[in-house]
Structure formats: structure tokens, C-alpha cells
Amino acid sequence: MESRPYQKEAVMTVKGTCNSREKIKDLKEKRYYDFNSYLRSCFGERVQKITVDTGLGCPNRDGRVSSGGCIYCNSRGSGNGLWEKGFSITDQIEQGRKAMMRRYKAKKFLVYFQSYTNTYTSCKHMKSMYDEALTVEGVVGMAIGTRPDCIDEEKIELIASYTPEYLVWLEYGVQSIHDATLERINRGHDFASVVNAVNLAKKYNINICAHIILGLPGENRSMMMETARRIGELGIDGVKLHLLYVVKGTLLEQMYKNGSYKCLSMNEYVELVCDFIAHLPEKVIIQRITGDPHADELAAPLWALDYHLVYNMIQDRLEERDIRQGDYF
């Protein structure tokens, strides 16, 4: 195994330049601040994410908050199910590392704790998970997916303890700033919980990414743009944009079948993403601009399966409209 790959001097580079658009070469040629540019400015080379399933649960499923979960979430909590199949954290990273090395020639990796809620356990267990992941060769940091109502100061302190040596991102499932929407999708927390969780992480200088879903039931363009503005005002560091697609076996699928929910068209989604990007501050790192559903579980819309088409349409539309990130902020 390698020695610690991400030393304090490198972190000073991350804190000092990675969040500053004007210091990144040729960034003005881009329409938005993308995650690959950010990572290259930090490490000087390609860095790939490796998704890990830790088998943790969710308080919105086990009865602490609710037993139903969010209306759009699958039974695996957006995970790959590898933990249930007996793959340890190390096994999953090694598997992903070899694949990324073959496909992208990547040598550095971020471990993404994605499925369910990765702070919904004890600090002792959290530390054991993170320590195991960060000892694998080539791993330079981690991204921790969680809910804003599953964080506290003790957990934040633990996460912050890794920042002197590793790149660390804390990813909050926000989805919308509108409490009526959060209740409608059975999210199990309000926007005030998001504000509190963001402020707590900022207190410890941890990078924060907000997950936002476009096309939620009952929301119009004006509401989604208000989400963009409020998220920008919170001072977060990154955003992931997701299309609300319908997964088989969910309550959302029932709503779709009975006509109470209608999916966005591809053109509607592309326009919303462009507008959302323009409403964000320039310094916010846009980590993702659409989702990537599994073909075997997608009920609708089928166009969501063509990730590259959607991605390219967004790039083209930004050019056609001549808009950039921050234009409307």
C-alpha cells in the first residue's frame, strides 16, 4: 500500500485555488465550473470516483422518520447492492479501481459512499468505514452521501479530522428548498434541517455538495429557480442536478401510472438545467447535470437512458443561448 497520498501541502492547494474560478486555467472558456476541472486543478491529473455500498440504512425507511421512504427511491437506496452480495468496502474499491485504470488510465480515486445514509450509524462505525476506504492504494479522498437530519457536531468533527490529509466532500440530499415539496415526496425533513446541516459543515470548513432534483411533483420553473437562488445563497461548494425519473416498484411509479405525475420532456429538462446553472454563483462546482438510471429499473422517461445525448444537448443549448454559470445570480 502507498503512504498517505494527500498531504497537508496539497490540501492548502485545494483550499486556496480549487474553489476559485479565476485561478483555474482556461475556465473562462467553459460555460460552468465542472467537477473534472476542479479535480484536475487539485491533483494535476484525472481523478475517478468509485461508488461504494456500505449496507447502512435510512431513517426514512426503518421507522425512525418514516417507513415508506422517499417516493422515488428504490429498495437499494440508490446503491448497487454489492454489500449484500458479500463485497467488503475494500473489495468494492479494488474492483472499481481496476476498472477505472483500464478504462481511463486513472491513478487517483475518490471513494463515494453513495447508497442510503452514510452517517446513519455510530461515529465508531463511520471511522472504521472511512479508514478502510482511505488505506486502499490510489485513494486520495472521499465523498460521503447523507441526509441533513443525520448529522451532528460529533460526526462533523470526525469527518473534518480527515481533511488535513484527504480531499473530503459531504453530500447532502436536499432535493428542494420548498417544504411543501419535501412533504409531498415524503422526504422526512424540512429545509430548515438543510440550513442547519450546511452551517454546521461550514463551521468546520468541509466541502458541501447539495443534491437537487428537477421535475419534482407540484413544482414549476419558478420554484426550481428559487431553489437555485437559495442554494447559492447558502454558500455551498457544489451541486449535483438530477432528473426525477420513475423507478419501477416505487410510489412514484404508481403516481405515473395513474396520471397524477407527468415526467419532464427532454427539452424541458435541458432548458431547466441551463437556467439553474445560470442562477448559481460562479464559484459553485457543478458535479453532475443529469442522472444515470439503470435500464432494468427505469419505468420512465426512457430518454433518460441516453446520458450522453442529454449531456451534449445541455452543452449545445448553453452555447445557443450564450449563457454561463452565474449570469442570473
Side-chain angles (χ1 to χ4, degrees):
M1 291 186 182
E2 292 183 333
S3 59
R4 298 286 192 182
Y6 193 65
Q7 300 303 321
K8 191 169 184 179
E9 182 178 353
V11 173
M12 291 302 292
T13 300
V14 171
K15 298 299 182 184
T17 66
C18 286
N19 288 328
S20 178
R21 283 179 68 99
E22 57 272 16
K23 292 184 180 179
I24 298 177
K25 185 178 180 181
D26 296 330
L27 197 56
K28 289 299 182 182
E29 297 178 7
K30 297 180 179 292
R31 294 282 166 172
Y32 60 89
Y33 190 177
D34 67 288
F35 198 48
N36 283 336
S37 295
Y38 162 79
L39 289 174
R40 283 187 180 277
S41 71
C42 294
F43 297 99
E45 62 183 284
R46 189 183 189 102
V47 180
Q48 286 294 136
K49 267 191 175 181
I50 299 174
T51 299
V52 167
D53 186 331
T54 60
L56 292 180
C58 174
N60 203 24
R61 284 183 173 274
D62 65 11
R64 200 194 86 178
V65 172
S66 170
S67 58
C70 301
I71 65 171
Y72 48 75
C73 193
N74 67 20
S75 60
R76 298 193 303 271
S78 299
N80 51 30
L82 288 179
W83 181 267
E84 290 185 352
K85 296 177 182 178
F87 289 83
S88 68
I89 291 173
T90 301
D91 292 337
Q92 293 177 61
I93 298 172
E94 288 288 0
Q95 184 182 73
R97 190 172 72 90
K98 291 175 183 177
M100 297 299 179
M101 289 175 69
R102 286 195 303 268
R103 183 172 181 180
Y104 300 109
K105 310 301 181 185
K107 298 178 182 178
K108 290 184 169 61
F109 309 94
L110 285 182
V111 175
Y112 180 25
F113 294 93
Q114 179 187 27
S115 59
Y116 291 114
T117 307
N118 290 281
T119 61
Y120 188 45
T121 185
S122 67
C123 281
K124 181 179 180 181
H125 187 201
M126 286 169 58
K127 187 175 188 304
S128 69
M129 294 191 310
Y130 305 156
D131 285 350
E132 179 180 350
L134 293 170
T135 57
V136 178
E137 181 180 354
V139 173
V140 295
M142 60 181 175
I144 303 164
T146 189
R147 292 167 56 92
D149 58 347
C150 288
I151 206 75
D152 55 39
E153 191 130 14
E154 183 182 8
K155 291 175 179 178
I156 287 288
E157 285 181 348
L158 171 64
I159 293 168
S161 71
Y162 292 95
T163 60
E165 294 180 272
Y166 295 96
L167 178 62
V168 178
W169 279 83
L170 186 57
E171 303 195 11
Y172 288 137
V174 176
Q175 322 312 3
S176 171
I177 68 154
H178 302 284
D179 285 345
T181 300
L182 296 177
E183 184 175 353
R184 191 178 296 117
I185 65 176
N186 196 39
R187 184 63 189 165
H189 64 75
D190 57 11
F191 184 60
S193 300
V194 174
V195 175
N196 292 337
V198 168
N199 288 337
L200 185 58
K202 285 169 64 177
K203 177 181 173 184
Y204 287 85
N205 204 27
I206 297 172
N207 294 313
I208 309 160
C209 180
H211 289 233
I212 303 296
I213 298 178
L214 300 180
L216 290 168
E219 291 209 349
N220 56 30
R221 179 190 177 282
S222 177
M223 295 172 72
M224 288 181 255
M225 295 310 109
E226 186 179 352
T227 291
R229 287 190 293 271
R230 292 284 283 114
I231 288 299
E233 292 166 357
L234 276 181
I236 60 166
D237 304 287
V239 166
K240 282 185 177 178
L241 297 179
H242 302 271
L243 163 72
L244 181 61
Y245 51 80
V246 181
V247 174
K248 295 174 183 178
T250 62
L251 180 57
L252 185 63
E253 184 187 26
Q254 297 177 30
M255 295 170 61
Y256 173 72
K257 287 180 175 179
N258 67 28
S260 60
Y261 175 71
K262 181 181 178 182
C263 298
L264 293 172
S265 70
M266 187 186 299
N267 285 332
E268 286 174 327
Y269 182 74
V270 167
E271 294 293 342
L272 285 169
V273 170
C274 292
D275 288 336
F276 201 101
I277 287 172
H279 278 88
L280 291 173
E282 288 187 341
K283 67 179 181 178
V284 172
I285 302 156
I286 300 177
Q287 295 199 17
R288 194 173 184 90
I289 56 175
T290 188
D292 194 14
H294 297 288
D296 60 348
E297 67 177 16
L298 181 69
L302 295 182
W303 60 261
L305 292 173
D306 199 335
Y307 175 87
H308 294 293
L309 174 61
V310 178
Y311 177 89
N312 289 332
M313 283 185 66
I314 293 169
Q315 311 307 314
D316 291 344
R317 194 64 183 127
L318 288 168
E319 291 285 342
E320 291 167 4
R321 292 177 58 183
D322 192 24
I323 56 176
R324 288 179 170 79
Q325 182 178 346
D327 279 356
Y328 303 158
F329 181 66

